[in-house]
């Protein structure tokens, strides 16, 4: 049974930091591409950051470049998202997701991911 379990969300003031974790089980974590998505009320789910398997390639949406860092620890079957300099517009439910790897790196949309976690809430407010 595949499971993705996010943790690390919470409430922080603008300028603060959080580190999200996503622990995976039930599939070959190291061979899958991974992504972090977020969805705010009334908005579509958007990819925040993505990470390939093997020779690591990363993607960040423009709004988080220089502030967020995606990483993975295959020995622990865990994906991370380090979020610094948080802004109120980062407030959303954050989800991790796993996609079967392709032969060529592309940025995948939500519908192309195979497995999803339940999400963890991030609220940035003063």
């Amino acid at each position: 049974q595949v499971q993705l379990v996010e943790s690390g969300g919470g409430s922080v003031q603008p300028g603060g930091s959080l580190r999200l974790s996503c622990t995976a089980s039930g599939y070959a974590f190291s061979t899958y591409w991974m992504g972090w998505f977020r969805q705010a009320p009334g908005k579509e789910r958007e990819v925040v950051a993505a990470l390939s398997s093997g020779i690591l390639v990363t993607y960040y949406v423009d709004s988080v470049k220089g502030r967020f860092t995606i990483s993975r620890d295959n020995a622990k079957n865990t994906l991370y998202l380090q979020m610094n300099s948080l802004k109120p517009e980062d407030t959303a439910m954050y989800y991790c997701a796993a996609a079967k790897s392709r032969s060529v790196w592309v940025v995948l949309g939500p519908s192309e991911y195979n497995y999803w976690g339940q999400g963890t809430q991030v609220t940035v407010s003063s």
Side-chain angles (χ1 to χ4, degrees), residues 33-35 37 47 49-51 97-99 108-116:
W33 295 359
M34 298 297 296
F37 290 77
V47 59
L51 180 65
L108 303 176
S111 64
E112 297 171 285
Y113 279 76
N114 302 99
Y115 308 126
W116 290 86

Side-chain angles (χ1 to χ4, degrees), residues 1-68:
Q1 180 182 359
V2 172
Q3 278 194 313
L4 295 174
V5 180
E6 301 97 334
S7 61
S11 295
V12 294
Q13 293 186 340
S17 297
L18 286 172
R19 187 175 83 152
L20 305 184
S21 298
C22 170
T23 301
S25 61
Y27 71 101
F29 175 80
S30 65
T31 67
Y32 275 63
W33 295 359
M34 298 297 296
W36 285 102
F37 290 77
R38 66 186 178 188
Q39 188 166 20
K43 294 189 176 181
E44 292 187 355
R45 189 170 296 191
E46 66 167 350
V47 59
V48 175
L51 180 65
S52 68
S53 58
I55 299 175
L56 297 180
V57 180
T58 58
Y59 164 83
Y60 298 95
V61 69
D62 285 347
S63 59
V64 309
K65 284 181 180 177
R67 300 190 297 123
F68 290 13

Side-chain angles (χ1 to χ4, degrees), residues 97-109:
K100 293 180 181 178
S101 61
R102 273 66 166 170
S103 57
V104 177
W105 170 254
V106 292
V107 179
L108 303 176

